Amino acid sequence: MIRNPTIDAMMNRRSVRKYTRERPSDEVVETIVRAGMQAPFASQLHSVLLSDRPKSPFGAPLWFTICVDLHKLERFMKIRGWERVTNDLAMLMFGIQDTAYLAENMVIAAESLGMGSCFLGESPFLADRVAKEFELPPRVMPLVGLVMGFPAEDNPPRPRYPIECSFFRGKYPALSDGDIQAAMKAMDEGYLAQDYYRKAKAKIPLEDGKAETFTYDDYSWTEHISRKWGQWYRTPDDLLEQFRLRGFELPGRNVDEPRS
């Protein structure tokens, strides 16, 4: 594999959950955000907010909330004499793309400056609360939180799927159970070798009265992820309500369907 400083920074990237108290300068912050804004975009449907709260997750000195922002677009369209007719679902898809590209550029920029970061995925589920804190106008939707700072820990990069399980030439192959199991093994053995879940005390409890059969000797990534998406967020109703409160109208559940 070809190596250079940019690729090394990307390959060595890992989530950081312990930070020094050193606060990056305003110049560093603006450099990171400006590098984020230079990412590819469809319509620059993004905004970046920096919290001034005294406490942040993991004690990070910087806590960004990165938003899908249709407010600015619709303002300048109005000045141009246009009214948006594209539906909200399509606009959100483009906005999520813009916002995700910006967020990743910010992470790479921070890594290149010797900093670490950690994404926080709960922002859309707390959108109304975030909107009140930052006085967001309608049509601005928090997508992801991102904390940053200088690391006070030195963990190895986390495992990834083998490339043959993610990179396909020409067409998507017919993956056998053996192919999937090989990818599972690579992920699980990688996390177990780092003793990741034991150190983090991060075992997800089983619901619905299921008996626990795993210990930290064999509890690893594929079981952890399976417990997340096999137990959580059974309906989209709460998330759709957060979008509605932010001024986005999306298809909801059928009123005749029972809630689960």
Side-chain angles (χ1 to χ4, degrees):
M1 170 174 181
I2 297 170
R3 306 303 291 251
N4 62 36
T6 302
I7 291 174
D8 286 345
M10 296 170 72
M11 295 299 294
N12 291 326
R13 195 266 164 191
R14 68 278 192 207
S15 293
V16 174
R17 294 180 174 86
K18 291 182 181 179
Y19 296 88
T20 70
R21 294 186 177 183
E22 180 181 356
R23 185 175 181 86
S25 68
D26 288 347
E27 182 181 22
V28 167
V29 173
E30 291 176 10
T31 297
I32 290 169
V33 175
R34 185 64 184 85
M37 293 173 63
Q38 201 60 33
F41 62 83
S43 302
Q44 293 199 88
L45 303 176
H46 49 54
S47 287
V48 181
L49 300 160
L50 179 59
S51 176
D52 58 4
R53 280 183 280 181
K55 292 184 178 181
S56 65
F58 315 125
L62 302 177
W63 184 3
F64 298 101
T65 299
I66 304 173
C67 302
V68 175
D69 186 347
L70 270 65
H71 176 73
K72 296 194 295 282
L73 170 76
E74 292 167 356
R75 291 284 301 277
F76 79 67
M77 286 182 67
K78 184 176 181 180
I79 291 171
R80 281 288 180 188
W82 285 85
E83 180 179 349
R84 179 188 56 79
V85 298
T86 304
N87 68 84
D88 276 354
L89 182 58
M91 293 302 305
L92 279 167
M93 289 301 297
F94 286 116
I96 288 169
Q97 291 175 39
D98 283 0
T99 305
Y101 304 154
L102 175 143
E104 183 61 14
N105 259 30
M106 288 177 62
V107 165
I108 295 170
E111 291 285 331
S112 76
L113 297 172
M115 296 170 62
S117 61
C118 186
F119 280 117
L120 308 169
E122 77 275 13
S123 294
F125 300 90
L126 305 173
D128 190 47
R129 184 191 307 176
V130 175
K132 290 173 182 175
E133 175 185 351
F134 287 108
E135 300 181 5
L136 300 183
R139 313 287 288 164
V140 179
M141 179 70 187
L143 181 70
V144 69
L146 177 60
V147 294
M148 285 185 178
F150 293 100
E153 61 182 6
D154 187 20
N155 295 318
R158 302 305 176 199
R160 293 293 186 266
Y161 280 137
I163 192 169
E164 57 268 21
C165 189
S166 293
F167 177 45
F168 310 129
R169 296 181 184 271
K171 63 180 181 179
Y172 198 108
L175 297 172
S176 68
D177 284 352
D179 295 328
I180 298 298
Q181 288 167 348
M184 292 171 65
K185 181 179 179 181
M187 291 298 298
D188 286 341
E189 289 183 348
Y191 272 86
L192 287 169
Q194 296 181 10
D195 209 15
Y196 177 82
Y197 292 104
R198 190 195 311 270
K199 290 177 180 177
K201 298 180 180 179
K203 188 188 296 183
I204 296 173
L206 289 168
E207 299 177 2
D208 301 325
K210 294 179 180 178
E212 180 62 75
T213 60
F214 283 83
T215 72
Y216 283 120
D217 292 333
D218 58 0
Y219 181 89
S220 196
W221 187 80
T222 58
E223 178 65 19
H224 188 79
I225 297 303
S226 295
R227 292 188 184 193
K228 277 188 178 182
W229 310 133
Q231 300 184 125
W232 298 354
Y233 307 122
R234 295 173 187 266
T235 79
D237 298 344
D238 291 343
L239 186 55
L240 287 170
E241 176 65 7
Q242 291 296 312
F243 277 108
R244 188 193 66 78
L245 291 170
R246 293 281 70 238
F248 295 90
E249 293 300 328
L250 299 176
R253 69 181 182 91
N254 187 320
V255 293
D256 296 325
E257 292 178 356
R259 293 178 181 267
S260 59

